[in-house]
Amino acid sequence: MALPQILACQDLFQFRTKPCERLLTSGNCTFGDRCQYSHNLAWPRRQENWCSLYAPRLCPVRDNCPLGRSCGLAHTEEEVLYHLEVYKTTLCQGQFLCHGFFCPFAHGLSELRVQESWDSAMAGQKASLCLSPATLLLSRHRSLSLASYLQEVLMSETDVTHHAKPDVESWLASTAATATTAATESWLATAATTIGSTFEDASRLRSVSSGYSLVPIPGAADHSERELTSTLAAELRLAVSLHVVLRRFGRELRSKETKSSSQGTQVERIGTFISHDWGSSGRLKFMALLLIFNSRAAAVSAVSTSVVVALLEAFDVLSFESSIRIRSIGGTVYTTQESSLSFPIGLATYCIILLFWQRILSLRGRSAMVFLDKLCIDQQNEEQKERGILSLAGFCEISDRLVILWSPSYFGRLWCTYELASWLRLNKLKDITVMPIHLAPVLLCITASMWGTILCYIEALTIAYSVAGSQKVVEVEMAGFLLGILCMTVGLILPTHTSRHLAKSLGALPNQLEHFSIRDAKSFCCSHNHVHPETQKHLPCDRRLIFDMLEQWKDDFNDDRGEYASSLDSFDFHVRQKLKPWILRNIGGAEAPFKLLLATTCVPFFCWTISRIPTVVKLGGVPAFRLGLEALLCSIVLGPCVPKLILEISAAGVDSNDHGRCDLLYTVLKIAAFVVLTSLIWASIHLPLTMPHHVGWQLSSGAGLVALTIALFRRPNCIFPDA
């Protein structure tokens, strides 16, 4: 019989407690949210009027709960929202827009219920319903000791008429004999956490079980001594100059040695907190930090130096052999001289500043002060190391910016997610910079390829002009076009090949944010069963510490799903619904943001077109304007479009892993597609320059190209193939 839209008490006992037969047989239910049967085939709601009575709070270890369906806490959001004590007791925030047929919230005061206790709900039930004493007491939120809880659970597993309290010690002996040590410890730890037992109770019970070869319960004895804090002691306020992190080409990042003393100095504020996964490549982190902190200064320095050199050559301050060019501008042929020094000097300046900018700043005491756990937390003194790790939230509080060096394993590491949570609770979303470390080598490879390609093109064009002479304008123009295509094809083999093989890694970021769950994050202690693989010493449980801290921060991650969502679910929701859109909108997700492209791949084009300044100065008038417009379009259109097209084409289609030995063929095909598209853009920039007399065509085509570039960068990011 169909249930009414507004469920009564007895209806709640039946609602979605059985799997949907339509979904089981056909894989689809046409009723959708109007279905009164459970679509969660793995865990339908439990009937609250029988032995599986549970409290309306999510179990903190529900994914691996050893109690299973006997747990005294809810295991799904449906069990919380449609619980007798929760259903229709709060107003729906979207009551006028809500289309949920069985919405658990009240749509107006007429639907609002008063919280009904289990005492009154069960008043009419027979005493022989076999209610579990342990779960019943849990639902009434009574405080139990761990030993009492175990006794109640054991009573629920025996005959209800048996009034003698079971012997916990005997039960432990039998459990130790029939179950694995890890399973027993997990059960005890979960029981202690579930009922909110004091850890003194857990320690006492552990001493009872010591005769049965049980190691200490993870997170029990050591929990009172270890506690995460957001308050940072004065002696721990350490930061290190960024040039120390980057010196010797990132040796500190690449070194596998972890037993080093702190190299930080005491500070009041930290400029940047660097969050990273210890297991990812140090070389990739080094390249990522270069792009974040040095690329902008390198771009400004290279362009400025090129402009100064070109102006000095234009006004004959520098006497050097200029490059002769023959150009057709508006139907008129001009023999011009371009700067031959501005481009190579710009290249040298860019490389020097990109690598050593922080070292240059440190000579004036202005290098950025950053927090890097490996250098700011003493790795030799175990006591200081422990204090530093437990105070990571305090380091976040005194930092002005968070830089996440993202790797595919970042969101799978528990301490990385804790650092992220410590930052997000401060509501500093706009002060986050996310740099996928696999994007750094792709951008640097494309940038290096552009420098090399343009340099080879300049030299090849110089040779072509010297061979063809000044009378064969058409031949020289055609030769220049073909030489440009040839240099581009050769120069883009490596970046295209590199970006293809990194496409899956780069594309994992949006997917990880979409399906983020802190419960899935791994920790070193839990991965090794709380025993150090080398020293065989007991490892305290970090997971319980972090989950307890998130419970304290629950109010900082409030979402719109009500007060009954757990702190872990609230944090997961915060990452998926707030952090993910912000990252994909401002950082670019798996692609490079436009500002970063201006500081990398656009710089070679800027320095190349700046070499035309002597020609513009000497031509003057409309020809100078038209030549300058072409140069500007090459820089702001061709520069950012090159890496964008490479990433788009690399991500398109299938990957070579599915086709064995076709790897090189796919690279060649993608390069061919890229060369065709880039040639069309270059022709759209250059051909209007040669049109006679009227400048309108060039302005129109230029405006169209700029609009196309803006549209290309405002469209949604490309989706990389799934791994």
Side-chain angles (χ1 to χ4, degrees), residues 23-94:
L23 195 62
L24 281 172
T25 55
S26 62
N28 182 43
C29 178
T30 56
F31 284 88
D33 70 328
R34 299 168 64 92
C35 183
Q36 66 187 44
Y37 297 101
S38 176
H39 285 192
N40 186 344
L41 303 181
W43 194 280
R45 283 184 69 241
R46 288 169 285 176
Q47 292 182 344
E48 298 175 64
N49 60 332
W50 293 96
C51 297
S52 58
L53 179 65
Y54 53 89
R57 284 192 301 119
L58 283 173
C59 175
V61 289
R62 60 185 180 275
D63 294 336
N64 298 294
C65 181
L67 301 179
R69 296 187 70 84
S70 298
C71 181
L73 297 176
H75 273 225
T76 63
E77 290 187 7
E78 272 193 354
E79 288 190 338
V80 174
L81 296 175
Y82 293 95
H83 194 281
L84 184 66
E85 296 183 9
V86 176
Y87 179 73
K88 298 290 185 182
T89 57
T90 57
L91 289 173
C92 180
Q93 294 185 3

Side-chain angles (χ1 to χ4, degrees), residues 386-654:
E386 181 83 352
R387 290 183 64 199
I389 293 175
L390 296 178
S391 303
L392 282 174
F395 286 105
C396 288
E397 285 200 358
I398 65 171
S399 299
D400 299 322
R401 178 189 183 193
L402 174 68
V403 168
I404 296 177
L405 300 181
W406 177 85
S407 61
S409 59
Y410 180 86
F411 287 111
R413 304 305 303 173
L414 187 62
W415 281 106
C416 292
T417 57
Y418 174 68
E419 292 171 353
L420 180 61
S422 302
W423 188 267
L424 291 179
R425 77 181 184 91
L426 302 174
N427 294 320
K428 295 190 197 176
L429 190 63
K430 295 183 179 179
D431 298 320
I432 298 178
T433 299
V434 178
M435 168 58 75
I437 60 174
H438 291 90
L439 184 62
V442 173
L443 286 183
L444 289 176
C445 190
I446 294 174
T447 304
S449 176
M450 290 298 97
W451 283 109
T453 297
I454 294 175
L455 188 61
C456 292
Y457 173 70
I458 291 173
E459 295 302 322
L461 201 59
T462 301
I463 296 174
Y465 277 118
S466 63
V467 172
S470 59
Q471 303 301 321
K472 301 179 180 179
V473 179
V474 178
E475 289 82 352
V476 171
E477 291 284 346
M478 185 58 66
F481 179 73
L482 294 177
L483 284 172
I485 293 177
L486 179 61
C487 293
M488 187 184 304
T489 303
V490 175
L492 290 176
I493 292 178
L494 180 59
T496 303
H497 186 77
T498 303
S499 60
R500 280 188 56 246
H501 286 273
L502 292 176
K504 288 185 178 180
S505 297
L506 296 175
L509 177 56
N511 185 62
Q512 284 189 0
L513 291 170
E514 176 68 28
H515 302 95
F516 173 80
S517 175
I518 193 172
R519 293 183 181 87
D520 298 332
K522 299 178 181 178
S523 61
F524 180 82
C525 58
C526 295
S527 300
H528 294 84
N529 294 322
H530 301 91
V531 177
H532 198 285
E534 297 178 0
T535 63
Q536 300 302 312
K537 292 183 178 180
H538 168 65
L539 292 174
C541 187
D542 297 332
R543 186 178 301 275
R544 184 53 53 203
L545 279 177
I546 292 175
F547 286 4
D548 288 347
M549 195 65 172
L550 287 178
E551 185 65 30
Q552 297 180 31
W553 294 342
K554 181 178 179 180
D555 293 339
D556 297 320
F557 300 114
N558 276 338
D559 51 46
D560 298 329
R561 298 181 302 162
E563 59 180 309
Y564 298 101
S566 70
S567 58
L568 305 185
D569 288 331
S570 296
F571 176 59
D572 292 346
F573 182 83
H574 196 87
V575 171
R576 296 171 189 169
Q577 301 298 324
K578 296 183 179 180
L579 182 64
K580 177 196 171 186
W582 187 89
I583 288 179
L584 298 185
R585 182 175 63 251
N586 294 277
I587 307 301
E591 301 185 22
F594 185 75
K595 291 181 180 179
L596 188 56
L597 296 182
L598 287 177
T600 51
T601 59
C602 291
V603 180
F605 292 94
F606 277 119
C607 293
W608 174 39
T609 54
I610 284 170
S611 64
R612 302 179 187 179
I613 287 180
T615 302
V616 173
V617 170
K618 294 185 178 180
L619 282 177
V622 175
F625 171 78
R626 299 188 69 170
L627 186 61
L629 180 60
E630 186 209 24
L632 181 63
L633 291 175
C634 282
S635 300
I636 64 174
V637 173
L638 201 56
C641 284
V642 166
K644 180 73 172 180
L645 290 175
I646 289 178
L647 290 173
E648 290 277 1
I649 294 173
S650 298
V654 293

Side-chain angles (χ1 to χ4, degrees), residues 53-55 57 72-73 85 118-119 131-145 148-149 151-153 155 195:
L53 179 65
Y54 53 89
R57 284 192 301 119
L73 297 176
E85 296 183 9
W118 271 105
D119 294 328
L131 289 177
S132 167
T135 51
L136 180 59
L137 290 174
L138 277 174
S139 71
R140 294 176 180 173
H141 307 289
R142 291 188 181 178
S143 176
L144 297 174
S145 68
S148 300
Y149 175 75
Q151 287 177 343
E152 296 289 358
V153 172
M155 288 179 65
I195 66 172

Side-chain angles (χ1 to χ4, degrees), residues 29 95 159 173 181 232 250 367 454 515 618-619 642 661 712:
C29 178
Q95 55 181 302
D159 188 356
T181 299
L232 191 62
S367 180
I454 294 175
H515 302 95
K618 294 185 178 180
L619 282 177
V642 166
R661 300 180 180 179
L712 187 64

